[in-house]
Amino acid sequence: MTVIESVSAGTGTPDRVPIKNWLAVIAVALGTFLVVTVENLPMGLLTAIGGGLHVSDGEVGLMVTVSGLVAAVTAPLLPVAIRGLDRRVVLLGLILLALVANVVSAVTPTYAVLMVARLFVGVSIGGFWALAAGLGVRLVPEAHVARATSLIFFGAMAANVLGVPAGTLVGELTGWRIAFGAVAAVALLLVIALSVLLPRMPATEPVRLRTLGEQLRVPAVRVGVVATFLLVSGHYGAFTFVSPILQDVSGVGAAFVGPLLLAYGVAGMAGNLIAGSWAGRNVRGTIVVVSVALAVILAAFPFLGGNAVTGSILLIAWGFAFGGLPVSVQTWIIKAAPQGVEAATGLNTCMFNLAIALGALFASLIVGAVAVTGVLWVAAGLVVLTSLVVSGTRRV
């Protein structure tokens, strides 16, 4: 069998790992690609869905809100519900659930049925992330866990750069129902890939409700969860208004916003891979350095981003910096809870989804009360707090 040089988990002894293990990691990354695409696809098809079902844009927007909130609840509770089930079977079931939900979305006659389908999408998203984000420790030796985690998160980054735009293009060319059907077809292919590549992964120890509480009592886990809230709420609060920021602050024409966001996404993918490698060696230093860099970029935007050139450069730097943070915090979580990765990851995923919703809400209030530049400064403050919180915690 083809092998890759690696290191035995927890031993430091040279070892040889079958390439199938890395293919399994890539399959899981494709799973994160799929669920993030499914979660955000309505954003690109908002007007078309509203016209087809005769509802307002605001009502269509609730598709993302509903699935996000359900995902936040599902993430910590699903590991408890599945107890001793083989994680391979659960992951396959969650992708099948996404497949069925998208088929229903493609053929739904009413908005109400569509919203029910989105409830199940939320279960799939929250459950898959709760298990997938921590699977590196089950698939590769310890020395390569950070790299595997980076690849898994790379799938999510790629979804925003490739998956959502591709789904939007399909919807524009053929109709929004076809776009949902195409995503369902991708889900079917992914089920086949996961069933072939994933090994059996029986539960090492069933997660119970008290396990969630036990993990929250671990100081380093609490720091990781708080860091996620600060980073994600700050970032998404500002990024929700990235289009008016580019147009009003930097004077970027509306036609150039899309290409710039593509460049932002590519930079985020690069940041994810680089920071994932750094985090494996020094997770605390990586989070501190990258969060400070992101805070500086956000705070400087109103002053230095006053034209299209500098605004574009700052946006790409923003994408590069933020791209490295989710994988770094997840690496922190894995190191902080080596015996409770599923429970701690579920809590972190829950906080991630809540922070997206709350960050966008708070930012809307700030923009309404002050100006779009105000949200950049608040976001910078939240992000820089992350470095202070992490710096003040013992090394994990």
Side-chain angles (χ1 to χ4, degrees):
M1 179 180 290
T2 305
V3 294
I4 296 176
E5 185 175 352
S6 186
V7 179
S8 294
T11 66
T13 305
D15 193 17
R16 298 170 71 82
V17 180
I19 196 171
K20 186 176 180 180
N21 290 46
W22 288 106
L23 292 176
V25 171
I26 292 171
V28 175
L30 291 174
T32 63
F33 174 90
L34 177 77
V35 296
V36 172
T37 299
V38 170
E39 182 176 22
N40 295 326
L41 185 58
M43 294 180 183
L45 301 173
L46 190 143
T47 303
I49 295 172
L53 296 178
H54 309 293
V55 295
S56 68
D57 287 351
E59 289 174 299
V60 177
L62 288 175
M63 291 174 64
V64 178
T65 303
V66 166
S67 60
L69 291 176
V70 173
V73 174
T74 300
L77 295 182
L78 182 119
V80 176
I82 61 177
R83 297 182 68 80
L85 285 178
D86 190 317
R87 273 41 184 167
R88 175 179 179 272
V89 173
V90 177
L91 288 170
L92 288 170
L94 289 167
I95 296 300
L96 281 171
L97 184 62
L99 189 161
V100 172
N102 278 277
V103 169
V104 172
S105 298
V107 301
T108 179
T110 67
Y111 174 74
V113 173
L114 180 61
M115 292 302 287
V116 171
R118 294 300 294 184
L119 291 174
F120 290 104
V121 165
V123 173
S124 176
I125 295 167
F128 194 89
W129 266 114
L131 299 180
L135 276 187
V137 297
R138 303 289 298 270
L139 296 174
V140 299
E142 183 179 3
H144 291 277
V145 167
R147 182 183 302 173
T149 303
S150 178
L151 284 172
I152 290 169
F153 275 78
F154 184 84
M157 298 290 177
N160 289 314
V161 177
L162 301 173
V164 176
T168 301
L169 179 62
V170 170
E172 290 174 347
L173 295 176
T174 62
W176 65 270
R177 295 181 185 275
I178 300 298
F180 281 106
V183 172
V186 173
L188 178 60
L189 294 176
L190 181 59
V191 167
I192 297 171
L194 289 171
S195 64
V196 170
L197 295 171
L198 281 183
R200 290 185 65 254
M201 292 183 289
T204 53
E205 182 178 346
V207 177
R208 297 178 173 84
L209 282 174
R210 69 170 181 270
T211 310
L212 300 176
E214 289 168 356
Q215 290 304 319
L216 282 176
R217 287 195 289 272
V218 177
V221 172
R222 287 202 304 271
V223 167
V225 172
V226 170
T228 290
F229 177 79
L230 294 172
L231 289 169
V232 175
S233 60
H235 163 76
Y236 276 96
F239 194 72
T240 298
F241 296 92
V242 68
S243 181
I245 287 170
L246 288 173
Q247 294 182 63
D248 299 343
V249 176
S250 303
V252 173
F256 293 98
V257 172
L260 280 176
L261 291 181
L262 177 62
Y264 164 93
V266 171
M269 292 164 65
N272 169 79
L273 292 177
I274 293 172
S277 176
W278 291 352
R281 297 189 293 270
N282 184 353
V283 64
R284 179 203 298 275
T286 301
I287 294 174
V288 170
V289 169
V290 180
S291 60
V292 169
L294 178 58
V296 170
I297 292 165
L298 293 171
F301 212 113
F303 304 104
L304 302 180
N307 62 71
V309 173
T310 57
S312 299
I313 293 172
L314 285 170
L315 180 71
I316 293 170
W318 179 355
F320 182 80
F322 180 74
L325 286 169
V327 64
S328 299
V329 176
Q330 178 60 29
T331 301
W332 175 285
I333 290 289
I334 290 171
K335 289 178 177 291
Q339 306 305 318
V341 172
E342 278 189 8
T345 298
L347 291 169
N348 198 49
T349 303
C350 172
M351 186 58 72
F352 197 104
N353 283 278
L354 285 176
I356 291 175
L358 293 177
L361 173 61
F362 292 151
S364 298
L365 296 175
I366 293 168
V367 168
V370 187
V372 72
T373 52
V375 78
L376 287 165
W377 292 326
V378 172
L382 290 172
V383 172
V384 80
L385 279 176
T386 304
S387 63
L388 299 177
V389 169
V390 171
S391 296
T393 307
R394 67 172 180 81
R395 186 177 300 276
V396 295

